[in-house]
Amino acid sequence: MNFQRGKKHEDLEMNLVPLIDVLLVIIIFLVVSTTFSRVSELQINLPTAEATPPEQKPLIVNVGVDASGHYVVNDKPVSDTSVAGLGMALRQAVGNGKEPTIVINADANSTHQSVVNVMEAARQENYTHINFATQVKSGS
């Protein structure tokens, strides 16, 4: 039995305020977390000079060391991984060049001894300019 005959039922309606609040929070989160790159757009006319360019660029020898201890000198694999073998590979890469810069590209998980072997080979060949290649941390 329905005793509430005269009473009207209210129509169901959807409240949009919470939905709008949630969407605004999502939009604010996206705006805050988005990175913007700032590129300066300066039109610069560089001055001219009559200086002669340097005749010889510095000689750079890239030595790669992976995590398992394999060596690569100027993109050529080195089969003899001893200090003497590395020195011979460096000497071949330098050729007749003078004062080369040895750039060591060592894997972050390579052993300390592998890098020291490259440095020792360079020292034995009297190559004193040694650099280490690194990369910038992401998020810094």
Side-chain angles (χ1 to χ4, degrees):
M1 296 173 89
N2 188 0
F3 295 111
Q4 298 179 352
R5 276 192 185 167
K7 198 174 196 184
K8 292 184 180 178
H9 294 291
E10 291 184 21
D11 289 335
L12 295 176
E13 64 181 61
M14 185 174 176
N15 191 356
L16 294 178
V17 174
L19 177 67
I20 293 171
D21 288 344
V22 169
L23 288 176
L24 283 176
V25 168
I26 290 173
I27 290 172
I28 290 171
F29 175 75
L30 289 174
V31 167
V32 169
S33 65
T34 304
T35 59
F36 298 101
S37 62
R38 295 181 181 148
V39 179
S40 62
E41 299 280 333
L42 296 178
Q43 296 296 328
I44 298 175
N45 292 324
L46 296 175
T48 59
E50 296 297 325
T52 58
E55 294 177 12
Q56 194 176 28
K57 292 183 178 180
L59 178 61
I60 296 176
V61 177
N62 290 307
V63 179
V65 182
D66 68 359
S68 60
H70 296 103
Y71 299 97
V72 175
V73 176
N74 281 349
D75 298 327
K76 295 179 184 174
V78 177
S79 58
D80 185 7
T81 59
S82 67
V83 175
L86 286 171
M88 184 183 305
L90 288 174
R91 195 176 327 117
Q92 289 174 354
V94 170
N96 294 331
K98 295 182 180 178
E99 295 186 23
T101 300
I102 309 296
V103 179
I104 301 174
N105 299 297
D107 188 273
N109 297 322
S110 64
T111 62
H112 186 70
Q113 185 63 50
S114 300
V115 176
V116 170
N117 286 347
V118 175
M119 293 172 63
E120 180 66 17
R123 185 193 63 80
Q124 287 180 358
E125 297 297 324
N126 293 322
Y127 304 142
T128 58
H129 301 287
I130 299 175
N131 291 334
F132 294 94
T134 60
Q135 63 183 357
V136 178
K137 281 186 177 180
S138 60
S140 293

